[in-house]
Amino acid sequence: MIEEGSKRGKAMVEKRQLFMEMRAQNFDVIRLSTYRTACKLRFVQKRCNLHLVDVWNMIEAFRDNGLNTLDHNAEINVSRLETILSSIYYQLNKRLPTTHQINVEQSIGLLLNFMVATYDSESHGKLTVFSMKAMLATMCGGKIVDKLRYIFSQISDSSGVMMFAKFDQFLREVLKLPTAVFEGPSFGYTEHSVRTCFPQQKIMLNTFLDVLMADPPPQCLVWLPLMHRLANVENVFHPVECSYCRSESMMGFRYRCQQCHGYQLCQSCFWRGHANGPHSNQHQMKEHSSWKSPAKKLSHAISKSLGCVPIGEPPHPVFPEQAERPQELTHTVQPKPVANNMNDTMLMSSGAPTPTKSVLESPSRLDEEHRLIARYAARLAAEAGNSTQQCPPSDLGFNFDANKQQRQLIAELENKNREILQEIQRLRLEHEQASQPTPEKAQQNPTLLTELRLLRHRKDELERRMSALQESRRELMVQLEGLMRLLKDEEQKQASQSGGSPHSSPSHGAGCSMPMPIRSTSAGSTPTHTPQDCLAGVGGDVLEAFAQGVPRNLRNDLLVAADSITNTMSSLVKELHSVDDGGDEEEINMRNGGDRGTVRVPKH
């Protein structure tokens, strides 16, 4: 009972750990609820390491765990949710370098407790598939336009039209996040939130993105784009002094008063409502996420006045409203058709490849080129349709010229794309040819040719020395045979004179007139037995003498001579073996007096 109580207490501590750390950051001193909510959710995102997981990786994890085959209202228990989170974080650690690895178990525990506290307030131990997808897709890293496109794919039908009931369900789930960080009174769900966001009847993808990425966005979701802007300006430095705290290291946002000349505040002072001098909190402030020098501001103003800078650019690319086949572009990669199952499929009708495609199949340059061509084609088709409906018949000549210019633009883009494809193919072939070494290159290397000549010269010298040693060996063996004959004759004479045993010791003077073999100074040890194969081809007397076991002085000299010959041949073989270990080898059979040896030398 005591152990169960301690485990339950530990679980409660872990469940409240994230909220306790968030309270310690003292975010409640921020005056504006929008910034307060965005800062709290950004803290949860970073503390759970969700900012390191891109939205594309999150979609891939959904598919790997089979969530695309489940209904949105299907429920999953906490144990399976923990398994899904484990796969997400372990895959993240595989992508991160070893010096930036995260604590997987701690991240899983913090995120799991936060999700259970947010979406399972009644402690059922289960979460719906849609709530889990909405939460993870909103809180993960990545661009906000990619997140909104994925969310639109979850709340739209197969024809690309948003379903208001699905969007209402999305608002219910996503607005539980501000409630979880104690900001529910400011950004809570109401029944009129849907119509407040979209008073229109038919909502397509571009309209959905225009509304949610507008400035300002809908009031209930105003914290969502601010959270992404916070992530982008965390490391931005402004070389300006704060007018209140006099700090010269202004990081993050910078706020400039529209009424007080030269009055600027850092984000900490502005969020807390600090003001001094003639400035008041009621003055209108402009938020800056980057720093531009006065010279850059002047050049930008001049370019803008001359029309060199486009005015009013859309906050996102214009995507085709429906998944239709693009115009005939012969040298472009055809886009994949939109899948029927919209649960986990983005509306990638712009022609961009899916994120799981390999880099070799969809290089970044081609990807941008294809997306640009598809965007221009869709825009030109829309402009052509609008001009046909609005222009009177008298302007048909102007429309014809415009269509001609459009066709010329498409032709130029096709030619440029064709040149890029040819350049990529040429570079790929050059890389393959350069990575494969040829024998001609090796033969043209002067260093290798010099080493080859030296090895061949060394080989010839060793062969000549081997021939000379073989000739000396033959002469020594002939001398041994003569000595053995003299030894035998001397023994027979002594036996006939004294009538003693023929095994008595011979006189040393009998063989003094014959030349004695010279002892070799070659390195090597004396063998413990007589190599019988080295005596093949000599007289039987030599064999008989070496076969006897009675030690005699002359026999010892002969044994020393035989050992010297053997050691000389061993040193020759060792030297031949030490010439070179690499390359091909050829065998040189030495046949001299019945003796055979095999020496391996490099063959070039």
Side-chain angles (χ1 to χ4, degrees):
M1 294 297 292
I2 298 177
E3 293 181 358
E4 293 180 358
S6 62
K7 290 181 179 179
R8 189 179 300 108
K10 183 179 180 181
M12 291 298 294
V13 171
E14 292 179 352
K15 185 175 182 179
R16 297 177 181 177
Q17 178 182 357
L18 184 63
F19 297 100
M20 294 170 62
E21 294 179 0
M22 185 178 63
R23 288 182 182 275
Q25 298 294 321
N26 200 19
F27 290 121
D28 291 331
V29 300
I30 299 177
R31 178 171 56 96
L32 301 176
S33 60
T34 303
Y35 288 96
R36 190 167 59 243
T37 305
C39 288
K40 289 181 178 180
L41 292 177
R42 175 62 177 169
F43 172 79
V44 173
Q45 183 190 45
K46 295 181 65 176
R47 188 65 182 86
C48 297
N49 290 313
L50 278 176
H51 66 295
L52 301 176
V53 183
D54 192 78
V55 61
W56 299 111
N57 301 124
M58 192 65 71
I59 296 172
E60 185 179 0
F62 292 160
R63 293 175 179 173
D64 292 342
N65 288 276
L67 297 181
N68 59 323
T69 60
L70 299 178
D71 186 76
H72 282 172
N73 296 323
E75 294 183 341
I76 57 176
N77 54 25
V78 177
S79 60
R80 185 174 181 186
L81 175 61
E82 186 176 2
T83 302
I84 296 172
L85 298 182
S86 300
S87 66
I88 293 173
Y89 283 115
Y90 280 112
Q91 289 297 326
L92 171 63
N93 254 358
K94 291 181 180 179
R95 296 188 297 268
L96 294 176
T98 55
T99 56
H100 293 75
Q101 297 287 303
I102 64 171
N103 190 339
V104 174
E105 298 298 332
Q106 185 182 21
S107 301
I108 293 172
L110 292 175
L111 182 57
L112 181 64
N113 292 327
F114 179 76
M115 294 182 67
V116 171
T118 304
Y119 294 100
D120 189 26
S121 57
E122 298 181 0
S123 301
H124 293 306
K126 294 182 179 180
L127 279 74
T128 62
V129 173
F130 186 75
S131 62
M132 187 192 67
K133 285 184 177 181
M135 185 271 175
L136 293 178
T138 304
M139 295 295 293
C140 67
K143 298 180 180 180
I144 185 173
V145 62
D146 295 332
K147 294 182 180 182
L148 293 178
R149 290 178 66 193
Y150 173 71
I151 291 170
F152 186 81
S153 69
Q154 302 296 297
I155 61 176
S156 60
D157 55 15
S158 58
S159 60
V161 180
M162 187 189 76
M163 296 181 288
F164 281 89
K166 286 284 188 179
F167 180 70
D168 182 75
Q169 185 181 3
F170 167 72
L171 284 181
R172 289 177 184 269
E173 301 299 336
V174 78
L175 291 179
K176 290 180 181 179
L177 293 173
T179 305
V181 293
F182 315 107
E183 297 296 334
S186 301
F187 301 103
Y189 171 79
T190 61
E191 297 179 356
H192 306 287
S193 299
V194 177
R195 289 301 174 183
T196 303
C197 297
F198 299 104
Q200 304 93 332
Q201 295 295 328
K202 185 178 181 180
I203 305 299
M204 306 297 288
L205 174 60
N206 290 318
T207 306
F208 180 79
L209 296 177
D210 290 339
V211 172
L212 296 187
M213 297 182 65
D215 188 16
Q219 181 61 29
C220 60
L221 295 174
V222 69
W223 52 269
L224 182 58
L226 179 58
M227 185 177 69
H228 288 80
R229 296 204 307 271
L230 279 174
N232 295 331
V233 301
E234 283 183 347
N235 299 319
V236 175
F237 174 74
H238 304 270
V240 181
E241 182 183 21
C242 178
S243 300
Y244 183 85
C245 66
R246 303 301 177 183
S247 175
E248 297 181 356
S249 58
M250 192 180 296
M251 299 291 293
F253 286 120
R254 174 172 55 90
Y255 298 90
R256 183 166 55 89
C257 182
Q258 301 297 297
Q259 299 181 19
C260 304
H261 178 71
Y263 192 89
Q264 302 188 81
L265 294 176
C266 63
Q267 66 178 17
S268 178
C269 294
F270 176 75
W271 289 353
R272 286 160 175 78
H274 295 161
N276 59 348
H279 178 71
S280 172
N281 289 330
Q282 304 301 322
H283 291 180
Q284 185 179 1
M285 303 289 288
K286 185 176 181 180
E287 182 183 275
H288 294 273
S289 58
S290 61
W291 164 256
K292 290 183 180 178
S293 63
K296 287 186 178 180
K297 289 181 181 179
L298 179 60
S299 63
H300 183 77
I302 295 175
S303 301
K304 189 174 181 180
S305 62
L306 296 176
C308 300
V309 178
I311 302 175
E313 292 185 352
H316 63 85
V318 179
F319 301 101
E321 300 293 353
Q322 294 182 355
E324 59 184 6
R325 185 182 180 89
Q327 295 186 10
E328 183 65 24
L329 303 175
T330 55
H331 294 279
T332 59
V333 178
Q334 295 295 335
K336 292 187 176 181
V338 178
N340 294 328
N341 185 6
M342 297 297 294
N343 288 336
D344 278 289
T345 304
M346 294 290 295
L347 294 178
M348 304 300 290
S349 54
S350 62
T354 57
T356 57
K357 200 168 186 180
S358 63
V359 178
L360 292 179
E361 295 178 353
S362 60
S364 58
R365 287 195 301 174
L366 291 179
D367 184 27
E368 291 293 331
E369 194 71 26
H370 300 158
R371 192 181 299 119
L372 180 62
I373 292 173
R375 190 186 308 164
Y376 271 110
R379 184 177 299 177
L380 292 174
E383 292 176 357
N386 295 334
S387 61
T388 304
Q389 295 176 2
Q390 297 176 3
C391 294
S394 60
D395 294 334
L396 290 179
F398 176 78
N399 292 336
F400 178 78
D401 294 337
N403 293 334
K404 184 177 180 180
Q405 293 177 359
Q406 294 168 6
R407 288 194 297 270
Q408 291 178 355
L409 178 60
I410 292 176
E412 291 175 1
L413 292 175
E414 288 179 354
N415 293 332
K416 185 176 180 181
N417 191 48
R418 188 186 304 110
E419 293 174 359
I420 292 175
L421 289 173
Q422 293 176 356
E423 182 69 14
I424 289 176
Q425 185 66 20
R426 184 183 65 81
L427 293 175
R428 186 176 297 172
L429 292 176
E430 291 180 358
H431 177 71
E432 292 177 355
Q433 293 176 0
S435 60
Q436 295 179 357
T438 57
E440 290 78 9
K441 294 182 180 179
Q443 294 179 1
Q444 295 175 1
N445 193 340
T447 305
L448 294 178
L449 292 176
T450 304
E451 293 180 356
L452 181 61
R453 294 193 191 97
L454 293 176
L455 289 174
R456 288 180 177 175
H457 182 68
R458 181 62 174 169
K459 172 187 174 184
D460 296 338
E461 290 182 354
L462 291 175
E463 288 180 350
R464 288 193 297 268
R465 183 177 178 184
M466 180 181 63
S467 301
L469 290 174
Q470 288 282 18
E471 188 65 26
S472 301
R473 179 175 177 274
R474 183 191 299 274
E475 293 176 359
L476 290 174
M477 296 304 292
V478 172
Q479 293 180 10
L480 283 175
E481 188 174 2
L483 290 173
M484 293 305 299
R485 290 197 193 98
L486 292 176
L487 179 62
K488 187 175 182 180
D489 295 340
E490 183 67 23
E491 288 179 351
Q492 290 177 357
K493 290 180 181 179
Q494 292 180 0
S496 60
Q497 292 177 2
S498 60
S501 173
H503 297 288
S504 60
S505 299
S507 173
H508 294 286
C512 291
S513 62
M514 297 298 296
M516 296 299 294
I518 301 173
R519 180 175 298 179
S520 175
T521 59
S522 301
S525 60
T526 303
T528 57
H529 64 283
T530 303
Q532 296 296 332
D533 56 346
C534 294
L535 300 177
V538 299
D541 296 334
V542 177
L543 293 175
E544 180 181 357
F546 278 90
Q548 295 178 4
V550 180
R552 299 186 308 186
N553 294 332
L554 183 58
R555 185 183 305 168
N556 290 339
D557 293 339
L558 294 176
L559 285 173
V560 170
D563 291 344
S564 300
I565 295 172
T566 305
N567 293 337
T568 303
M569 295 304 298
S570 299
S571 64
L572 175 61
V573 172
K574 290 180 181 179
E575 188 170 0
L576 287 173
H577 275 293
S578 63
V579 173
D580 190 4
D581 292 333
D584 298 334
E585 295 178 349
E586 65 177 358
E587 295 184 355
I588 301 176
N589 296 326
M590 300 182 300
R591 297 177 178 87
N592 190 0
D595 187 24
R596 296 183 180 181
T598 301
V599 180
R600 298 184 183 272
V601 296
K603 179 182 180 182
H604 298 280

